[in-house]
Protein backbone atom coordinates (compact mmCIF):
# COMPACT_ATOMS: atom_id res chain seq x y z
CA UNK A 1 0.00 0.00 0.00
CA UNK A 2 1.23 3.48 -0.85
CA UNK A 3 2.29 5.41 2.24
CA UNK A 4 0.81 8.90 2.64
CA UNK A 5 3.11 10.49 5.20
CA UNK A 6 6.48 8.97 4.42
CA UNK A 7 8.46 8.29 1.26
CA UNK A 8 10.58 5.18 1.05
CA UNK A 9 13.44 4.66 -1.39
CA UNK A 10 14.79 1.14 -0.80
CA UNK A 11 17.94 1.65 -2.91
CA UNK A 12 18.72 5.35 -2.51
CA UNK A 13 22.38 4.36 -2.73
CA UNK A 14 23.86 0.90 -3.05
CA UNK A 15 22.62 -1.09 -0.02
CA UNK A 16 21.25 2.09 1.61
CA UNK A 17 17.54 2.82 2.00
CA UNK A 18 16.12 6.26 2.70
CA UNK A 19 12.90 6.97 4.56
CA UNK A 20 11.75 10.60 4.58
CA UNK A 21 8.97 11.75 6.90
CA UNK A 22 6.60 13.74 4.75
CA UNK A 23 4.03 15.90 6.57
CA UNK A 24 5.81 19.18 5.90
CA UNK A 25 2.93 21.55 6.76
CA UNK A 26 2.64 20.03 10.23
CA UNK A 27 6.42 19.97 10.73
CA UNK A 28 6.27 16.18 10.38
CA UNK A 29 4.17 15.82 13.53
CA UNK A 30 4.00 12.10 14.20
CA UNK A 31 0.37 11.07 13.91
CA UNK A 32 -0.68 7.45 14.31
CA UNK A 33 -0.88 6.80 10.58
CA UNK A 34 2.63 8.12 9.99
CA UNK A 35 4.03 5.98 12.81
CA UNK A 36 2.26 2.90 11.40
CA UNK A 37 3.67 3.61 7.95
CA UNK A 38 7.14 4.03 9.42
CA UNK A 39 6.87 0.77 11.34
CA UNK A 40 5.73 -1.12 8.23
CA UNK A 41 8.49 0.39 6.09
CA UNK A 42 11.17 -0.58 8.59
CA UNK A 43 9.84 -4.13 8.84
CA UNK A 44 9.89 -4.43 5.03
CA UNK A 45 13.40 -2.97 4.73
CA UNK A 46 14.65 -5.29 7.47
CA UNK A 47 13.49 -8.21 5.31
CA UNK A 48 15.08 -6.86 2.11
CA UNK A 49 18.51 -8.48 1.67
CA UNK A 50 19.65 -5.71 -0.67
CA UNK A 51 19.33 -3.15 2.13
CA UNK A 52 22.10 -2.98 4.71
CA UNK A 53 21.68 0.43 6.30
CA UNK A 54 18.63 2.70 6.65
CA UNK A 55 18.70 6.50 6.84
CA UNK A 56 15.69 8.26 8.35
CA UNK A 57 15.19 11.93 7.65
CA UNK A 58 12.64 14.75 7.59
CA UNK A 59 13.14 17.98 5.72
CA UNK A 60 15.27 21.06 6.25
CA UNK A 61 12.78 22.74 8.59
CA UNK A 62 11.84 19.75 10.71
CA UNK A 63 12.88 16.21 11.39
CA UNK A 64 9.70 15.97 13.49
CA UNK A 65 8.13 18.45 15.92
CA UNK A 66 6.76 15.68 18.11
CA UNK A 67 3.70 13.51 18.34
CA UNK A 68 0.60 15.08 16.80
CA UNK A 69 -0.77 17.24 19.61
CA UNK A 70 -4.04 17.80 17.75
CA UNK A 71 -4.60 14.05 17.59
CA UNK A 72 -3.80 13.54 21.28
CA UNK A 73 -5.46 16.59 22.84
CA UNK A 74 -8.91 15.10 23.45
CA UNK A 75 -7.75 11.64 24.48
CA UNK A 76 -8.10 10.03 27.91
CA UNK A 77 -5.75 7.54 29.55
CA UNK A 78 -7.82 4.56 28.41
CA UNK A 79 -7.97 5.87 24.81
CA UNK A 80 -4.18 6.15 24.86
CA UNK A 81 -3.77 2.66 26.31
CA UNK A 82 -6.17 1.17 23.74
CA UNK A 83 -4.27 2.68 20.84
CA UNK A 84 -1.12 1.11 22.32
CA UNK A 85 1.40 3.16 20.43
CA UNK A 86 4.13 1.44 22.40
CA UNK A 87 3.87 -1.69 20.28
CA UNK A 88 4.61 0.46 17.20
CA UNK A 89 7.56 2.19 18.90
CA UNK A 90 8.85 -1.17 20.20
CA UNK A 91 8.77 -2.60 16.70
CA UNK A 92 10.71 0.40 15.39
CA UNK A 93 13.23 -0.04 18.19
CA UNK A 94 13.73 -3.67 17.17
CA UNK A 95 14.87 -2.78 13.62
CA UNK A 96 17.85 -5.04 13.03
CA UNK A 97 19.69 -2.97 10.47
CA UNK A 98 21.71 0.10 11.45
CA UNK A 99 19.44 3.13 11.43
CA UNK A 100 20.89 6.62 11.03
CA UNK A 101 18.82 9.74 11.68
CA UNK A 102 19.66 12.68 9.40
CA UNK A 103 18.22 15.60 11.36
CA UNK A 104 17.66 19.19 10.30
CA UNK A 105 15.45 21.73 12.07
CA UNK A 106 13.14 20.64 14.87
CA UNK A 107 13.58 17.28 16.60
CA UNK A 108 11.20 17.76 19.51
CA UNK A 109 9.30 15.50 21.87
CA UNK A 110 8.50 12.31 20.01
CA UNK A 111 10.71 13.64 17.19
CA UNK A 112 13.71 13.76 19.51
CA UNK A 113 12.75 10.35 20.86
CA UNK A 114 12.52 8.96 17.34
CA UNK A 115 15.99 10.32 16.52
CA UNK A 116 17.32 8.77 19.73
CA UNK A 117 15.70 5.44 18.83
CA UNK A 118 17.99 5.46 15.78
CA UNK A 119 21.54 4.21 16.25
CA UNK A 120 23.32 7.41 15.26
CA UNK A 121 22.36 10.98 14.56
CA UNK A 122 23.86 13.23 11.90
CA UNK A 123 22.65 16.79 12.48
CA UNK A 124 22.59 19.90 10.36
CA UNK A 125 23.84 23.00 12.18
CA UNK A 126 20.24 24.27 12.21
CA UNK A 127 18.96 21.25 14.15
CA UNK A 128 17.28 21.83 17.51
CA UNK A 129 16.59 19.08 20.01
CA UNK A 130 14.25 19.16 22.97
CA UNK A 131 11.63 17.42 25.07
CA UNK A 132 9.04 20.19 25.42
CA UNK A 133 6.17 17.93 26.59
CA UNK A 134 6.28 19.57 30.02
CA UNK A 135 5.03 22.80 28.44
CA UNK A 136 1.82 21.08 27.34
CA UNK A 137 1.22 19.41 30.68
CA UNK A 138 2.69 15.99 30.04
CA UNK A 139 6.12 14.37 29.89
CA UNK A 140 8.11 12.29 27.41
CA UNK A 141 6.36 9.00 26.68
CA UNK A 142 8.49 7.21 24.11
CA UNK A 143 11.75 6.77 25.96
CA UNK A 144 12.85 10.40 26.31
CA UNK A 145 13.49 10.35 30.05
CA UNK A 146 15.57 7.19 29.69
CA UNK A 147 17.47 7.59 26.42
CA UNK A 148 18.23 11.28 26.91
CA UNK A 149 19.53 10.62 30.42
CA UNK A 150 21.77 7.82 29.19
CA UNK A 151 23.02 9.96 26.31
CA UNK A 152 23.71 13.28 28.04
CA UNK A 153 23.63 12.52 31.78
CA UNK A 154 21.15 13.22 34.55
CA UNK A 155 21.75 16.93 35.18
CA UNK A 156 21.36 17.96 31.56
CA UNK A 157 18.48 15.58 30.84
CA UNK A 158 16.66 16.81 33.93
CA UNK A 159 17.01 20.41 32.79
CA UNK A 160 15.72 19.69 29.29
CA UNK A 161 12.82 17.53 30.47
CA UNK A 162 11.75 19.90 33.28
CA UNK A 163 12.09 23.20 31.38
CA UNK A 164 11.26 21.99 27.87
CA UNK A 165 14.06 24.16 26.47
CA UNK A 166 15.67 23.34 23.14
CA UNK A 167 19.37 22.78 22.54
CA UNK A 168 21.28 23.55 19.39
CA UNK A 169 23.02 20.98 17.22
CA UNK A 170 26.38 22.16 18.56
CA UNK A 171 25.28 21.65 22.17
CA UNK A 172 23.87 18.26 21.24
CA UNK A 173 27.27 17.39 19.77
CA UNK A 174 29.16 18.66 22.83
CA UNK A 175 26.84 16.62 25.06
CA UNK A 176 27.21 13.41 23.07
CA UNK A 177 23.66 13.24 21.74
CA UNK A 178 24.67 13.40 18.07
CA UNK A 179 27.55 11.98 16.08
CA UNK A 180 28.34 14.97 13.88
CA UNK A 181 27.14 18.42 12.89
CA UNK A 182 27.49 19.64 9.33
CA UNK A 183 26.24 22.61 7.27
CA UNK A 184 22.56 22.32 6.44
CA UNK A 185 23.14 21.59 2.75
CA UNK A 186 25.30 18.61 3.74
CA UNK A 187 23.35 16.74 6.39
CA UNK A 188 21.76 14.11 4.17
CA UNK A 189 24.95 13.59 2.21
CA UNK A 190 26.94 13.27 5.42
CA UNK A 191 24.48 10.68 6.77
CA UNK A 192 24.79 8.82 3.45
CA UNK A 193 28.58 8.83 3.72
CA UNK A 194 28.39 7.32 7.19
CA UNK A 195 25.82 4.80 5.94
CA UNK A 196 28.05 3.91 2.96
CA UNK A 197 30.97 3.19 5.29
CA UNK A 198 28.80 0.80 7.29
CA UNK A 199 27.23 -0.74 4.17
CA UNK A 200 30.67 -1.99 3.12
CA UNK A 201 30.85 -4.22 6.19
CA UNK A 202 29.35 -7.66 6.62
CA UNK A 203 25.63 -7.05 7.15
CA UNK A 204 25.47 -9.96 9.56
CA UNK A 205 28.28 -8.55 11.64
CA UNK A 206 26.81 -5.02 11.68
CA UNK A 207 23.43 -6.31 12.85
CA UNK A 208 24.95 -8.40 15.62
CA UNK A 209 27.24 -5.59 16.65
CA UNK A 210 24.26 -3.18 16.79
CA UNK A 211 22.27 -5.65 18.85
CA UNK A 212 25.19 -6.07 21.23
CA UNK A 213 25.81 -2.33 21.70
CA UNK A 214 22.09 -1.81 22.38
CA UNK A 215 22.23 -4.57 24.96
CA UNK A 216 24.53 -2.34 27.02
CA UNK A 217 21.45 -0.25 27.83
CA UNK A 218 19.43 -3.12 29.12
CA UNK A 219 21.70 -5.34 31.13
CA UNK A 220 24.38 -5.47 33.78
CA UNK A 221 27.96 -5.41 32.51
CA UNK A 222 28.43 -9.14 33.04
CA UNK A 223 25.18 -9.99 31.23
CA UNK A 224 26.12 -7.62 28.41
CA UNK A 225 29.55 -9.20 28.05
CA UNK A 226 27.99 -12.64 27.95
CA UNK A 227 25.54 -11.49 25.23
CA UNK A 228 28.38 -9.94 23.23
CA UNK A 229 30.41 -13.16 23.47
CA UNK A 230 27.55 -15.26 22.06
CA UNK A 231 27.13 -12.95 19.07
CA UNK A 232 30.89 -12.90 18.57
CA UNK A 233 31.06 -16.71 18.40
CA UNK A 234 28.01 -16.81 16.12
CA UNK A 235 29.74 -14.62 13.53
CA UNK A 236 32.29 -17.42 13.01
CA UNK A 237 29.42 -19.36 11.43
CA UNK A 238 29.17 -16.77 8.64
CA UNK A 239 30.86 -16.84 5.23
CA UNK A 240 31.49 -13.12 5.71
CA UNK A 241 33.84 -13.87 8.61
CA UNK A 242 35.95 -16.17 6.40
CA UNK A 243 35.85 -13.64 3.57
CA UNK A 244 36.80 -10.72 5.83
CA UNK A 245 39.73 -12.49 7.47
CA UNK A 246 41.00 -14.10 4.24
CA UNK A 247 40.80 -10.76 2.45
CA UNK A 248 42.99 -9.26 5.16
CA UNK A 249 45.55 -12.04 4.85
CA UNK A 250 45.47 -11.86 1.03
CA UNK A 251 45.81 -8.05 1.15
CA UNK A 252 42.60 -7.34 -0.81
CA UNK A 253 39.23 -5.72 -0.15
CA UNK A 254 36.57 -8.08 1.26
CA UNK A 255 33.44 -8.82 -0.75
CA UNK A 256 30.73 -9.36 1.87
CA UNK A 257 27.60 -11.24 0.81
CA UNK A 258 25.57 -11.22 3.99
CA UNK A 259 25.87 -14.99 4.34
N1 LIG B 1 1.52 18.43 16.65
C1 LIG B 1 0.60 18.92 15.78
N2 LIG B 1 0.83 19.97 14.98
C2 LIG B 1 2.03 20.59 15.07
C3 LIG B 1 3.03 20.13 15.96
C4 LIG B 1 2.74 18.98 16.77
N3 LIG B 1 3.62 18.44 17.61
N4 LIG B 1 4.11 20.95 15.83
C5 LIG B 1 3.79 21.86 14.90
N5 LIG B 1 2.54 21.64 14.42
C6 LIG B 1 1.82 22.40 13.41
C7 LIG B 1 1.34 23.74 13.95
O1 LIG B 1 0.14 23.59 14.66
C8 LIG B 1 1.19 24.52 12.69
O2 LIG B 1 -0.03 24.14 12.08
P1 LIG B 1 -1.09 25.24 11.52
O3 LIG B 1 -1.36 26.13 12.68
O4 LIG B 1 -0.31 25.93 10.41
O5 LIG B 1 -2.24 24.43 11.05
C9 LIG B 1 2.32 24.02 11.82
O6 LIG B 1 2.70 22.74 12.35
C10 LIG B 1 3.55 24.92 11.85
O7 LIG B 1 3.90 25.15 13.21
P2 LIG B 1 4.08 26.60 13.85
O8 LIG B 1 3.24 27.60 13.13
O9 LIG B 1 3.88 26.45 15.31
O10 LIG B 1 5.61 26.89 13.50
P3 LIG B 1 6.66 27.78 14.33
O11 LIG B 1 7.86 27.83 13.48
O12 LIG B 1 6.02 29.05 14.80
O13 LIG B 1 6.98 26.92 15.64
C11 LIG B 1 7.56 24.90 16.84
C12 LIG B 1 7.62 25.70 15.51
C13 LIG B 1 8.15 23.53 16.59
C14 LIG B 1 8.39 25.62 17.92
C15 LIG B 1 6.07 24.81 17.32
O14 LIG B 1 5.28 24.34 16.22
C16 LIG B 1 5.88 23.89 18.48
O15 LIG B 1 6.15 24.27 19.63
N6 LIG B 1 5.37 22.69 18.21
C17 LIG B 1 5.05 21.72 19.24
C18 LIG B 1 6.30 21.08 19.82
C19 LIG B 1 5.96 20.12 20.93
O16 LIG B 1 5.39 20.46 21.96
N7 LIG B 1 6.31 18.85 20.74
C20 LIG B 1 6.04 17.78 21.70
C21 LIG B 1 4.65 17.18 21.44
S1 LIG B 1 4.20 15.92 22.60
C22 LIG B 1 4.07 8.19 22.96
C23 LIG B 1 5.03 8.46 22.04
C24 LIG B 1 5.42 9.79 21.81
C25 LIG B 1 4.84 10.82 22.50
C26 LIG B 1 3.86 10.54 23.43
C27 LIG B 1 3.48 9.24 23.66
N8 LIG B 1 3.68 6.86 23.25
C28 LIG B 1 4.43 5.74 22.65
C29 LIG B 1 2.57 6.57 24.08
C30 LIG B 1 5.28 12.17 22.20
C31 LIG B 1 4.67 13.27 22.65
C32 LIG B 1 5.05 14.56 22.06
O17 LIG B 1 5.91 14.66 21.21
Amino acid sequence: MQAEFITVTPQYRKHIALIALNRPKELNALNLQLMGELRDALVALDEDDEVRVIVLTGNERAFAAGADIKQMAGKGAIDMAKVDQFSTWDKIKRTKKPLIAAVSGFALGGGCELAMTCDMIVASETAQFGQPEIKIGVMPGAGGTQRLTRAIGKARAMELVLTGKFISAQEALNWGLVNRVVPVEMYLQSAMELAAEIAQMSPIATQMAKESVNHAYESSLSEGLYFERKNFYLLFASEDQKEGMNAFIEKRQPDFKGK
Side-chain angles (χ1 to χ4, degrees):
M1 221 177 69
Q2 191 65 30
E4 185 180 354
F5 295 130
I6 63 172
T7 57
V8 183
T9 314
Q11 287 294 328
Y12 186 83
R13 299 271 188 276
K14 191 172 181 220
H15 298 314
I16 305 172
L18 177 68
I19 301 178
L21 307 180
N22 191 22
R23 281 189 86 198
K25 277 204 243 101
E26 295 83 5
L27 306 183
N28 288 334
L30 306 168
N31 65 11
L32 295 176
Q33 183 182 331
L34 184 155
M35 291 305 293
E37 290 175 358
L38 179 59
R39 175 202 57 214
D40 293 348
L42 289 170
V43 168
L45 294 173
D46 242 0
E47 284 173 2
D48 181 343
D49 284 343
E50 285 306 304
V51 173
R52 295 184 179 182
V53 184
I54 303 163
V55 175
L56 175 63
T57 196
N59 55 53
E60 251 183 58
R61 188 165 172 223
F63 177 72
D68 190 326
I69 299 171
K70 292 165 193 166
Q71 199 173 48
M72 283 186 298
K75 296 267 189 315
I78 302 301
D79 302 321
M80 292 298 278
K82 272 192 182 159
V83 170
D84 190 20
Q85 292 180 66
F86 291 109
S87 63
T88 298
W89 284 79
D90 283 348
K91 194 88 188 162
I92 291 171
K93 187 192 91 171
R94 284 200 300 276
T95 303
K96 292 195 190 104
K97 292 175 183 168
L99 190 50
I100 299 173
V103 175
S104 179
F106 299 112
L108 304 175
C112 187
E113 290 169 311
L114 183 59
M116 290 191 291
T117 303
C118 297
D119 303 306
M120 284 167 278
I121 302 176
V122 173
S124 97
E125 53 197 8
T126 63
Q128 295 187 68
F129 297 85
Q131 297 288 161
E133 291 91 338
I134 203 81
K135 292 185 176 170
I136 53 169
V138 287
M139 58 174 277
T145 63
Q146 304 304 299
R147 290 204 176 89
L148 195 63
T149 306
R150 281 168 164 83
I152 68 178
K154 176 186 162 183
R156 289 159 171 165
M158 200 63 95
E159 188 172 337
L160 293 195
V161 169
L162 297 187
T163 67
K165 69 167 70 150
F166 304 166
I167 56 168
S168 67
Q170 192 54 49
E171 275 173 300
L173 181 69
N174 297 344
W175 291 1
L177 183 62
V178 308
N179 291 70
R180 57 194 66 169
V181 177
V182 296
V184 63
E185 59 279 7
M186 297 284 294
Y187 75 99
L188 186 56
Q189 187 185 325
S190 178
M192 284 295 158
E193 285 166 8
L194 181 57
E197 253 186 81
I198 298 165
Q200 285 173 36
M201 309 301 164
S202 160
I204 309 171
T206 56
Q207 288 172 39
M208 289 206 183
K210 164 178 169 160
E211 188 188 28
S212 299
V213 172
N214 278 336
H215 211 71
Y217 277 134
E218 280 154 21
S219 61
S220 66
L221 179 59
S222 59
E223 276 175 65
L225 290 171
Y226 182 72
F227 186 86
E228 178 190 77
R229 195 164 310 162
K230 293 286 176 198
N231 273 352
F232 178 75
Y233 286 149
L234 199 53
L235 287 173
F236 282 75
S238 70
E239 289 175 21
D240 282 353
Q241 174 265 330
K242 301 286 174 295
E243 169 63 11
M245 293 192 178
N246 286 334
F248 174 80
I249 293 165
E250 291 159 15
K251 298 188 188 302
R252 59 175 176 82
Q253 286 301 310
D255 178 17
F256 292 122
K257 297 274 197 292
K259 292 186 178 159

